[in-house]
Amino acid sequence: MTNPPSTKLASQPNASADLDLALVRRLTAFGQEVAGTLRRASVIDLLVRHVRETLAPSEIAVALFQREAETIDFVLGWPPGRSNPRPLLDLATRRGPMLIQDGLDALLRDEGLTPPPLTAGCWLIAPFVAKGRVTGAIAARGESGRYGPADLVLLEGLLSQASIALESARLIDLHDDGRRTWQEVVDAISPALCIVDRSGAIRRANRAFADLVNAPPASLIGRPWQAFAPPEWSVDLQRALDQQGVGREVELRTGERTYAVTAVPISSTDRSAVILLFDDQTERRRLQDQLIQSEKMSAIGQLIAGIAHDLNNPLASVLGFADFLIEVPNVPAGIREPLAVIQEEAERASGIVRNLLGFARKQDHQRRPTALKPLLDGTFVLLRNQLMAHRVEASIEVEADLPMPDVDPNQIQQVFVNLINNAAQAIASTGRPGTITVRARRWLDGVAIEVTDDGPGMSEDLAAQVFEPFFTTKAEGEGTGLGLSISQGIVKEHGGRIMLSSEEGKGSTFSVQLPLSTRSPVPAADPMSRAPTKRLRVLVVDDEPHILHYMRATLEAWGHMPVVASDGQEALTRAIQEPFDLIISDLRMPRFGGREFYEELTRQNPIMAGRLVFSTGDTVRGDTLAFLETLDRPYLHKPFSLAELRTLLADVVRDSGPQAAVRDNEPLPTDVLPGT
């Protein structure tokens, strides 16, 4: 290895001028090489090479610091395996550039530093300085007497240029880190976004946007957004760009996804670039649609309440008079059969309305032993029109003496409605008629209800997903994908399970397995039980003349003394002035309704108010149910049968004992209804 120039020049004439020229040349060569270097490691490699070529040291140590000299960020030792150079580098940061011929150990101890082994020789130490801040240090060792002041000047010059290059590399690293951090942050954001300049070219975009337009991220930059957006988006996206900054959004659809797009300028003063933000609104819109559908169903429930009330009043008259006339002994034989038809059809219409009300009303979620045959029959009554529209033949097979499960009838009926509806829609998708068979049978320690269809069936993969929320195979707008998941939840709450067996091209079978009830059912009233023999004084309140007529005729035929009133105000006057064993009042009446009648009667004659029983055709509305529940008294649901009325009268006779308001020898009233 050649001797350093400083050593050569020191023994020649004009040594100072030659030394200056050599320093300049060396520094110029180093500056030219380091000028194009942007990596810190490469700068240090160049520095070490020039120090070795110029000063020929036997050992070099270099370190770069973070936050001044607190933490070493980068360290390089040459040759490898030398002892820890940190004390020498710390000395350089504290004392600045130094040429140390001897006494190094003493200097280190004076600074409170522990001398490393093998410190003999001549040392050059100097710090890297950038903007007045120490950013690193270098230490080079040669044999004793090797270096002089000119060598220290050369080392300082090399470090000055290296410090400038290192600071530039640090700023570039910071810039690159910032770009990487920005990219990482925007790539972590779920909404797709891109920055578009005035000409429409994409400056930057995150990965979500690249995935949205199905293009590699690197291919987006510099190209117009029109090259990537679907053609049907162009008009709406351009409108969003034209309206940037006004807070408006446009809605875009692609396949099943919905996006709300907003254009926001990067700053209020510079509108040369704008951020397009694509927010995926699919789930939100789906939930909104479900909420709207729920509100519709709620409104339909209220509509059903009104329709049911309007239907139940005339049905009460028809069914009541049919029951009444059937029991008249001297009805001609030729009329008895048409009367039976009227009675049967009125009961059928009443059952339809009752099933609608049961399905629509707010449920109390109370479980009780429930016979499955009537529940399934009622379900098919509800779905009769849908099955006919889909050309589906339905049948029910219930095993004899089938035990009763302990269920909430309304919730389990909802399960049956969902399963039968799904089966009918599956058959309809084939474009041909089909059949649905519902079988109820014993199963282990419970019962199983199987709903079997001859529809298209399902593949194994499809069958594995049918109970997932929001999963549906129906066209958009024809289903929410919640029916089967809700049904599964209801059955699990009952301690049961739903099983699916399906094969493509051969139909499907859903099996609902339910545990048995451990309680005994409440015995049903005997429909042929006769009215009590004791005569009762009964006040009947209703705004329907036909109902008053039917009630009066029936009660008189049974030997009671009915009094009628067409509204609550008239009834209040009667109830205050006259004693009654029982008051049967309609709940919804114009002017002075049943609730007002009850409240005023409670205030003026609480004993008589305690004998009031309501009859109503509206038990869907929440306020109606809440009011009836606060009374904790029985009520008659229109249209009620003669058996229900007899049961009510029998309860009154049993509770009243000998204190009946009407004595057995009291004559019947002579006042009659207008027009009768």
Side-chain angles (χ1 to χ4, degrees):
M1 183 176 293
T2 60
N3 291 328
S6 56
T7 305
K8 295 180 182 179
L9 296 172
S11 61
Q12 297 176 0
N14 302 319
S16 178
D18 291 343
L19 178 60
D20 290 343
L21 182 59
L23 285 172
V24 170
R25 285 176 177 171
R26 174 56 65 180
L27 293 174
T28 300
F30 178 67
Q32 289 174 343
E33 285 194 65
V34 84
T37 304
L38 302 179
R39 295 179 63 250
R40 292 192 301 166
S42 299
V43 172
I44 297 300
D45 288 342
L46 285 173
L47 174 65
V48 170
R49 179 166 64 81
H50 276 267
V51 169
R52 289 178 59 191
E53 290 176 357
T54 305
L55 301 176
S58 58
E59 181 178 351
I60 299 175
V62 183
L64 300 180
F65 303 134
Q66 288 181 343
R67 298 177 59 188
E68 298 184 352
E70 294 181 7
T71 306
I72 292 180
D73 182 40
F74 177 91
V75 63
L76 184 144
W78 178 86
R82 294 291 186 178
S83 58
N84 179 21
R86 181 64 191 260
L88 296 170
L89 301 174
D90 287 344
L91 182 64
T93 63
R94 299 179 186 183
R95 301 285 292 270
M98 296 181 67
L99 169 62
I100 305 171
Q101 297 290 357
D102 53 31
L104 175 61
D105 288 356
L107 282 173
L108 291 172
R109 291 192 182 94
D110 289 345
E111 291 293 332
L113 300 170
T114 302
L118 302 175
T119 58
C122 181
W123 287 89
L124 293 171
I125 61 174
F128 294 89
V129 180
K131 297 180 180 180
R133 180 174 63 88
V134 175
T135 60
I138 187 170
R141 182 170 70 126
E143 63 268 19
S144 297
R146 177 74 174 177
Y147 302 126
D151 298 309
L152 183 59
V153 171
L154 175 60
L155 182 62
E156 287 185 82
L158 292 173
L159 259 63
S160 296
Q161 294 198 63
S163 295
I164 295 171
L166 287 171
E167 184 66 13
S168 298
R170 185 182 72 83
L171 294 175
I172 291 173
D173 286 345
L174 287 176
H175 177 69
D176 290 343
D177 287 344
R179 291 183 62 183
R180 282 193 297 270
T181 301
W182 183 91
Q183 196 66 46
E184 289 171 357
V185 169
V186 298
D187 282 345
I189 295 174
S190 55
L193 61 87
C194 70
I195 299 177
V196 178
D197 63 20
R198 192 185 300 275
S199 67
I202 298 174
R203 289 187 183 178
R204 288 185 179 180
N206 67 348
R207 185 168 298 279
F209 179 81
D211 293 340
L212 176 62
V213 298
N214 195 27
S219 68
L220 301 171
I221 309 304
R223 299 184 63 187
W225 61 263
Q226 293 93 336
F228 301 99
E232 61 270 19
W233 286 10
S234 297
V235 174
D236 290 328
L237 277 180
Q238 189 60 57
R239 187 170 76 252
L241 291 169
D242 294 340
Q243 296 174 351
Q244 60 176 284
V246 298
R248 297 179 182 173
E249 64 181 26
V250 298
E251 184 176 283
L252 302 177
R253 290 180 177 270
T254 174
E256 296 182 354
R257 314 303 296 179
T258 301
Y259 297 90
V261 183
T262 308
V264 182
I266 290 182
S267 70
S268 58
T269 57
D270 181 13
R271 293 180 176 264
S272 61
V274 63
I275 301 175
L276 280 175
L277 183 66
F278 297 75
D279 187 15
D280 192 338
Q281 300 279 304
T282 306
E283 293 304 319
R284 178 182 172 187
R285 297 299 166 86
R286 180 178 292 171
L287 291 174
Q288 286 178 341
D289 290 344
Q290 290 168 4
L291 179 60
I292 292 171
Q293 185 66 19
S294 177
E295 291 297 325
K296 286 182 180 178
M297 293 304 294
S298 177
I300 290 173
Q302 296 303 317
L303 180 62
I304 287 174
I307 294 174
H309 181 267
D310 293 339
L311 285 175
N312 280 331
N313 278 324
L315 280 173
S317 302
V318 174
L319 186 58
F321 272 118
D323 284 348
F324 171 73
L325 292 174
I326 285 290
E327 292 186 356
V328 173
N330 57 351
V331 173
I335 297 178
R336 190 170 294 278
E337 183 177 350
L339 278 176
V341 173
I342 293 173
Q343 183 187 43
E344 182 180 341
E345 291 303 299
E347 288 177 348
R348 177 185 171 194
S350 174
I352 293 172
V353 174
R354 187 165 50 251
N355 282 324
L356 283 173
L357 290 172
F359 195 69
R361 73 164 59 99
K362 179 181 177 182
Q363 307 302 337
D364 55 6
H365 301 301
Q366 292 183 353
R367 299 180 189 176
R368 54 184 179 271
T370 303
L372 290 177
K373 180 95 170 48
L375 193 63
L376 290 169
D377 287 338
T379 303
F380 275 106
V381 170
L382 280 175
L383 299 176
R384 181 171 176 271
N385 286 334
Q386 290 94 312
L387 296 176
M388 290 177 60
H390 292 313
R391 297 185 297 166
V392 173
E393 291 287 339
S395 62
I396 303 176
E397 300 174 7
V398 178
E399 193 174 283
D401 300 323
L402 186 69
M404 290 187 284
D406 195 21
V407 298
D408 180 326
N410 295 294
Q411 285 190 321
I412 293 300
Q413 186 177 48
Q414 182 180 353
V415 173
F416 295 154
V417 167
N418 287 336
L419 295 180
I420 296 170
N421 248 335
N422 280 353
Q425 290 168 356
I427 292 172
S429 68
T430 65
R432 58 168 173 77
T435 60
I436 295 176
T437 303
V438 178
R439 297 182 180 90
R441 58 181 177 82
R442 287 177 175 80
W443 166 79
L444 298 180
D445 56 348
V447 295
I449 303 93
E450 297 173 346
V451 179
T452 302
D453 67 76
D454 59 356
M458 288 177 264
S459 65
E460 186 175 340
D461 292 340
L462 190 61
Q465 303 178 71
V466 295
F467 293 109
E468 295 178 5
F470 304 116
F471 177 80
T472 179
T473 58
K474 300 169 187 172
E476 186 175 354
E478 293 184 6
T480 62
L482 291 172
L484 288 176
S485 63
I486 290 174
S487 298
Q488 186 183 53
I490 291 173
V491 174
K492 282 184 176 180
E493 286 180 4
H494 282 75
R497 61 179 179 172
I498 298 183
M499 307 294 290
L500 169 61
S501 173
S502 185
E503 185 177 349
E504 281 190 280
K506 295 186 178 180
S508 304
T509 296
F510 284 89
S511 179
V512 178
Q513 299 165 354
L514 296 168
L516 293 182
S517 172
T518 57
R519 297 176 292 171
S520 299
V522 177
D526 181 5
M528 296 308 293
S529 61
R530 310 308 297 177
T533 57
K534 182 175 291 186
R535 298 177 64 199
L536 299 176
R537 185 176 176 85
V538 183
L539 174 61
V540 181
V541 189
D542 204 298
D543 62 312
E544 292 281 341
H546 298 300
I547 291 180
L548 294 179
H549 190 174
Y550 142 66
M551 288 291 289
R552 180 166 189 165
T554 300
L555 291 171
E556 286 180 348
W558 289 351
H560 300 294
M561 182 178 179
V563 177
V564 298
S566 59
D567 61 36
Q569 189 63 60
E570 181 184 354
L572 181 63
T573 303
R574 289 268 197 171
I576 293 173
Q577 297 176 353
E578 307 173 34
F580 292 97
D581 297 295
L582 175 65
I583 301 174
I584 302 174
S585 174
D586 190 16
L587 186 57
R588 290 178 59 186
M589 295 181 290
R591 296 185 300 278
F592 202 72
R595 184 180 305 190
E596 292 81 5
F597 167 47
Y598 171 77
E599 292 171 350
E600 189 62 25
L601 186 60
T602 301
R603 190 178 66 83
Q604 298 190 41
N605 192 340
I607 294 177
M608 199 59 60
R611 299 175 181 176
L612 190 150
V613 170
F614 282 108
S615 64
T616 179
D618 171 20
T619 53
V620 171
R621 298 195 314 176
D623 57 341
T624 301
L625 279 176
F627 173 67
L628 292 173
E629 287 170 358
T630 59
L631 299 181
D632 194 25
R633 291 177 56 79
Y635 63 88
L636 294 172
H637 187 282
K638 293 180 180 178
F640 49 85
S641 66
L642 295 188
E644 293 173 285
L645 183 57
R646 284 194 181 97
T647 301
L648 176 64
L649 296 173
D651 291 341
V652 173
V653 169
R654 183 179 63 251
D655 295 339
S656 63
Q659 303 300 321
V662 181
R663 304 282 67 86
D664 290 342
N665 58 356
E666 186 172 338
L668 292 175
T670 56
D671 55 322
V672 294
L673 284 171
T676 62

